[in-house]
Amino acid sequence: MLTFIGLGLYDERSITVEGQEALRAADRVYAEFYTSKLIGTTIDDLESFHGSEIEVRDRAGVEQHPEDMLEAAETEDVVFLTAGDTMISTTHVDLRLRAHDRGIETRVIHGVTAQTATSALTGLQNYRFGKATTLPFPYATGADGLPASVTETIDDNRADGLHTVVYLDIKADREEYMTADVGAELLAEEYPDLVGVVVARAGSPDPLVEAGTMSELADRDFGDPLHLLVVPGECHLLEADALVELAGADRDALDID
């Protein structure tokens, strides 16, 4: 069997009890941290806490050369770990389908996602979020200004009254994580007066939620990563109350339906 386990958002304790039990019972354990990473822990701490040896695979080892993992799963109980929830990335779906092609049974054990944590921390209702987008480092695109994928997603969601999660670029192999002030500075080029909400270190003991215009957020320091930004759409009265109380938003700057 090949079991996919989401580790949650922050450290070695963020995993569910079900996930922990499956991890500790596995014959082999693999992981990838190039799509995201647990900032509050290390591989050594994960191995020590769960009593398991973990082989970390790079992108090529998962997407191009997963044969050894799949061969192991034909005769052993193999676990594949990811930060957050598993199956969020197409990389993981592809690996699961490859296992099915070989007749290998698969199982999915979910973890907390940044999306659900963002809804919980901000008070914005999950069903009122539209399509999410990722804001890349400018050097990663080679283009001037914001990518159309970002502006079109924000504009389309706002036209429909929906909130937008803006994930900030991660280059985990280089330990490079876009911070919310940098993301807000990039977004301020197009949306200087648009209200944004920073969510920092979701899942940790000290998460931060802070609202302001993009221009204002660009001048603030939000501490250690991981960060993301939310662009609120039309807010229900209760959502507006939550943003004011939990994020320090200016009620007059919100679009309240």
Side-chain angles (χ1 to χ4, degrees), residues 149-255:
S149 60
V150 175
T151 57
E152 289 174 2
T153 298
I154 293 174
D155 292 345
D156 289 348
N157 283 343
R158 292 185 69 213
D160 293 333
L162 301 175
H163 315 311
T164 306
V165 172
V166 181
Y167 294 108
L168 304 179
D169 205 356
I170 294 174
K171 304 297 182 190
D173 57 333
R174 302 195 323 214
E175 298 288 327
E176 186 176 8
Y177 309 98
M178 184 183 291
T179 55
D181 57 312
V182 172
E185 183 177 8
L186 294 171
L187 290 169
E189 296 176 9
E190 186 77 21
Y191 309 103
D193 299 319
L194 186 63
V195 173
V197 184
V198 173
V199 177
R201 297 175 299 284
S204 76
D206 63 339
L208 177 147
V209 183
E210 193 167 320
T213 66
M214 293 300 173
S215 296
E216 292 169 341
L217 297 176
D219 290 330
R220 300 179 189 174
D221 182 357
F222 303 102
D224 294 334
L226 296 172
H227 301 174
L228 61 75
L229 282 161
V230 179
V231 178
E234 292 182 358
C235 293
H236 182 276
L237 284 174
L238 185 62
E239 291 180 305
D241 288 344
L243 288 180
V244 171
E245 179 66 25
L246 302 176
D250 178 356
R251 182 181 292 273
D252 294 335
L254 299 174
D255 185 4

Side-chain angles (χ1 to χ4, degrees), residues 81-156:
L81 304 172
T82 64
D85 192 16
T86 190
M87 296 297 135
I88 295 299
S89 171
T90 54
T91 292
H92 312 143
V93 178
D94 178 71
L95 184 59
R96 190 181 187 196
L97 293 178
R98 292 191 191 205
H100 280 208
D101 286 343
R102 287 174 171 254
I104 299 168
E105 184 179 358
T106 64
R107 178 187 181 195
V108 175
I109 300 178
H110 298 286
V112 179
T113 70
Q115 171 78 50
T116 55
T118 294
S119 176
L121 288 169
T122 61
L124 296 174
Q125 295 303 295
N126 190 57
Y127 71 93
R128 294 171 70 99
F129 281 83
K131 178 182 176 182
T133 189
T134 298
L135 180 61
F137 287 109
Y139 69 77
T141 64
D144 293 331
L146 293 173
S149 60
V150 175
T151 57
E152 289 174 2
T153 298
I154 293 174
D155 292 345
D156 289 348

